[in-house]
Amino acid sequence: MKLFLSLAIAAALWRVGTAQPLSQSSAPASTLIRSARLVDGSGGAARSADLRIAGNRIVAVGRLAAVEGERVYEAGGLMIAPGFIDTHSHHDRGLDTARDAIAMVSQGVTTIVVGQDGGGIDLAATFARLERQPAAVNVASYAGHGAIRDRVMGKDYARAATLAEIEQMQALLRTEMDAGALGLSTGLEYDPGIYATREEVLALARVAGAAGGRYASHIRSEDRWFWDALDELIAIGRQHRMPVHVSHVKLGMHDLWGQAGKLIGILDRARAAGVQLTADIYPYTFWQSNLGVLYPKRNFADRAETEFVLSHVALAEDIIFNSVRAHPDYAGKTLAQVAALRGTPAVQTLMDVLAEPGGESAGIVAKGMSETDVERLIQWPFANVCSDGQSRGLHPRGFGAFARVLGPWVRDKRLFSIEEAVRKMSSLPAANAGIANRGMIAPGYFADLVVFDPSIIADRADFGHAQDLAVGVRTVWVNGQVVFDNGKAANTYAGRPLRRTAKLPR
Ligand SMILES: [Zn+2]
């Protein structure tokens, strides 16, 4: 019955498929991927199967015989999974000039979600550009609270917004939602979002929720006032009955280390009370941001605050400079090393650097989390894997996050099964970001696929060589076309903008 049903669906899809004009009349109408170890994204056990792609869709899964004229791809027992979905990505920076998206596709990532941390505006233009000049990956986006706030308040942002300004922001957000934003993202640790009241954030989230969108937040504090910041997010989900998502969840302060159990308890209780609460997380203990974020009150000249930062939030030997406008030579050096170089104590050095031009926007990577917490949080069943990565800089996450989970964390440390890892990279992120018809291998889904060798997949990027490509991914398809094969980009730009569609069923 089940088989009959899927055949019927495949047949129906086939009819839909052939009704559309074929773009390449000489190319085979379909591709058979044979002898794969199939992990379908649901979390169910891996099984041996063949799979047929026609056009941009998966049309059949099972024991399949090649049909005449069909292209055949021998998977040779390697694993096939749905293409991975990165729900928190900054890889849109530079994607227009590096359309092969090599950092992503080399790890099997086929969809990125951008517009994070309060960024993301003018999505109609962004999506139109991606249609004219697509990249190798699909791109979905949030509308960013910070960008919208900036448009309304400009340089006069260090205050609560007036009611009239909030209404202007709501109107801008409605435009972005109409353009296809997944929802509203906030970056409440950053300027200008940090100055928004809870009421402002609530008023904007309501607009996103009413349009069938969601709320994703780099919460107001990942260290000093973590629990309060989490409460703010949960309250939005409770009040507006809309999905809420903690971006790159972390216990980012030494005082919080070891409290992953308490955090998971709070998340579980909120879900049990009906809040549609999820999170994403990357497999590293280092975060990347700017110096200013260490000072929520922006009191950079405050010695007591600086002492607090360096003894509770990140140690001088754990802060690595990525880019400092006044000192290009600091790149790659720790604050402790820079202090030695300058001959001043770390506290004084940090205050001095902050007082220099561009000081507060100096890029840094800092160790803020404990490995035990990250390993525990990534196992939370509603936490999907993300990278928070980009294609430049010091942090290896943009080139390694997904391969690091599949290799070192699953194969070597056995944090969870490979089926669960794939679920956390495919169907779960699709659900957590509200992306339809992707993230599963089943007839009718888009043919975003990755073939990889689970026995060798691993990240190669690390500090000092953060752009080294991961190993172990053999072939990647996006919308039915090969975009990566045998270690190389295929120079096929099959990605498309993914606009928010109909409200998904709960
Ligand atoms: Zn963030």
Side-chain angles (χ1 to χ4, degrees):
M1 184 62 190
K2 217 171 179 182
L3 179 68
F4 171 76
L5 211 65
S6 57
L7 282 173
I9 293 168
L13 282 160
W14 182 254
R15 280 198 297 276
V16 171
T18 48
Q20 290 164 354
L22 288 171
S23 52
Q24 303 152 290
S25 52
S26 60
S30 60
T31 299
L32 178 69
I33 299 174
R34 200 150 58 184
S35 309
R37 193 87 191 126
L38 186 141
V39 178
D40 68 6
S42 69
R47 62 188 201 271
S48 297
D50 312 313
L51 184 160
R52 175 165 290 120
I53 304 171
N56 57 12
R57 304 269 184 162
I58 298 162
V59 293
V61 179
R63 288 259 169 262
L64 306 170
V67 298
E68 206 183 318
E70 184 169 56
R71 187 190 290 121
V72 176
Y73 175 96
E74 293 290 348
L78 293 183
M79 201 160 262
I80 190 163
F84 304 141
I85 297 173
D86 186 350
T87 56
H88 193 102
S89 168
H90 298 288
H91 277 294
D92 49 331
R93 296 171 191 160
L95 193 61
D96 51 340
T97 52
R99 293 161 61 207
D100 58 9
I102 194 73
M104 294 140 266
V105 295
S106 57
Q107 300 183 71
V109 172
T110 53
T111 295
I112 60 171
V113 181
V114 304
Q116 303 290 348
D117 302 314
I121 195 164
D122 300 327
L123 295 188
T126 303
F127 289 151
R129 196 169 58 245
L130 281 165
E131 239 144 35
R132 282 196 309 274
Q133 234 204 351
V137 291
N138 302 309
V139 180
S141 182
Y142 285 98
H145 164 244
I148 290 171
R149 198 172 201 267
D150 178 62
R151 187 84 33 109
V152 170
M153 297 175 73
K155 286 198 164 67
D156 182 25
Y157 62 79
R159 58 175 175 86
T162 64
L163 265 179
E165 285 166 336
I166 292 173
E167 279 168 13
Q168 283 179 59
M169 289 186 229
Q170 287 178 316
L172 282 174
L173 176 57
R174 264 182 216 108
T175 306
E176 299 300 332
M177 294 304 295
D178 289 346
L182 297 177
L184 176 70
S185 83
T186 57
L188 300 179
E189 255 188 335
Y190 296 117
D191 292 355
I194 196 168
Y195 297 100
T197 60
R198 275 196 180 202
E199 290 66 35
E200 175 183 330
V201 178
L202 258 175
L204 285 161
R206 177 152 45 86
V207 169
R214 54 201 57 237
Y215 176 74
S217 182
H218 174 140
I219 60 175
R220 207 176 278 276
S221 173
E222 297 185 318
D223 42 71
R224 294 166 182 77
W225 308 299
F226 175 80
W227 305 110
D228 195 45
L230 184 64
D231 179 68
E232 178 179 34
L233 175 126
I234 293 172
I236 290 169
R238 190 188 307 118
Q239 252 177 275
H240 294 330
R241 297 177 182 282
M242 67 190 290
V244 290
H245 186 74
V246 185
S247 296
H248 44 60
V249 63
K250 63 174 71 79
L251 291 160
M253 182 182 193
H254 290 246
D255 311 51
L256 292 170
W257 289 9
Q259 299 192 46
K262 174 183 170 183
L263 171 53
I264 288 170
I266 291 174
L267 299 174
D268 281 338
R269 277 194 295 281
R271 284 190 63 90
V275 179
Q276 302 168 66
L277 174 63
T278 57
D280 53 36
I281 183 167
Y282 51 80
Y284 297 90
T285 56
F286 284 78
W287 46 259
Q288 176 171 321
S289 190
N290 57 51
L291 266 189
V293 82
L294 292 168
Y295 295 75
K297 293 178 187 152
R298 307 293 187 255
N299 49 344
F300 306 127
D302 188 322
R303 181 171 296 274
E305 183 81 12
T306 307
E307 281 166 357
F308 181 88
V309 164
L310 293 183
S311 53
H312 292 263
V313 183
L315 309 178
E317 54 269 32
D318 288 340
I319 297 175
I320 312 169
F321 287 105
N322 189 9
S323 56
V324 188
R325 202 204 298 166
H327 305 278
D329 55 310
Y330 287 1
K333 292 192 170 67
T334 65
L335 173 60
Q337 288 168 331
V338 168
L341 209 71
R342 292 168 74 125
T344 49
V347 168
Q348 189 61 47
T349 305
L350 179 51
M351 290 194 296
D352 290 348
V353 171
L354 277 160
E356 289 168 5
E360 66 175 288
S361 53
I364 55 166
V365 169
K367 179 170 181 188
M369 295 82 92
S370 92
E371 186 136 328
T372 317
D373 287 336
V374 179
E375 289 182 2
R376 188 126 184 234
L377 291 172
I378 205 170
Q379 294 182 64
W380 188 50
F382 302 95
N384 66 266
V385 176
C386 74
S387 75
D388 199 0
Q390 55 187 353
S391 300
R392 305 184 199 106
L394 210 64
H395 203 301
R397 60 194 182 183
F399 284 74
F402 288 79
R404 184 174 172 84
V405 170
L406 290 169
W409 285 33
V410 167
R411 180 185 56 242
D412 305 340
K413 286 201 261 189
R414 299 180 183 275
L415 277 190
F416 33 71
S417 67
I418 189 106
E419 289 90 347
E420 175 65 357
V422 168
R423 186 186 74 88
K424 283 176 171 294
M425 300 177 180
S426 54
S427 69
L428 182 64
N432 290 357
I435 293 171
N437 301 319
R438 296 181 195 270
M440 283 281 288
I441 296 182
Y445 278 77
F446 284 99
D448 294 345
L449 298 161
V450 50
V451 167
F452 66 98
D453 184 344
S455 70
I456 60 164
I457 192 163
D459 55 321
R460 284 284 176 266
D462 205 342
F463 293 98
H465 47 95
Q467 281 79 43
D468 284 7
L469 294 188
V471 294
V473 168
R474 202 224 261 172
T475 309
V476 178
W477 289 258
V478 170
N479 295 311
Q481 295 186 52
V482 172
V483 298
F484 180 85
D485 191 41
N486 276 317
K488 285 197 185 67
N491 298 318
T492 314
Y493 309 111
R496 52 154 87 163
L498 304 184
R499 297 177 177 87
R500 186 185 83 269
T501 48
K503 198 166 184 171
L504 290 174
R506 288 198 185 152

